Amino acid sequence: MTVTEEYDALAEHYAKNPPKADPAKKGTGFFTRRTAEACTITIDSLSADYLTIKAMATHKTPAEIISEMIREQIAASQQ
């Protein structure tokens, strides 16, 4: 099967069987989560350097590190 034939077959399949959207799941999709994660904050250079070094060392994103730190603080304050 050539690329063109494969494309035509997929186009025909999705034309006849469009994906179903569930309005009850509003705001739970990939792009909605990414938009929410894109909220910008400003931090000082020491904090930015710390986050960058920690992110490289742990192979995590700065957002994941901040999230973990916040969860630790919440857990510690509830004890």
Side-chain angles (χ1 to χ4, degrees):
M1 179 179 270
T2 67
V3 173
T4 304
E5 291 170 334
E6 189 175 352
Y7 171 82
D8 290 339
L10 282 171
E12 184 177 338
H13 171 76
Y14 283 110
K16 291 180 180 177
N17 305 297
K20 296 192 179 5
D22 185 358
K25 293 184 177 179
K26 182 179 180 184
T28 61
F30 173 81
F31 292 109
T32 302
R33 288 191 313 269
R34 290 294 175 212
T35 301
E37 291 173 0
C39 182
T40 303
I41 60 168
T42 304
I43 57 174
D44 60 272
S45 61
L46 175 67
S47 299
D49 291 343
Y50 173 82
L51 282 171
T52 301
I53 292 167
K54 183 99 172 164
M56 288 189 297
T58 60
H59 303 288
K60 295 180 181 178
T61 66
E64 290 171 323
I65 294 167
I66 292 170
S67 180
E68 288 174 0
M69 292 171 70
I70 291 171
R71 290 175 200 281
E72 289 172 4
Q73 289 291 319
I74 291 171
S77 70
Q78 293 179 350
Q79 292 179 355

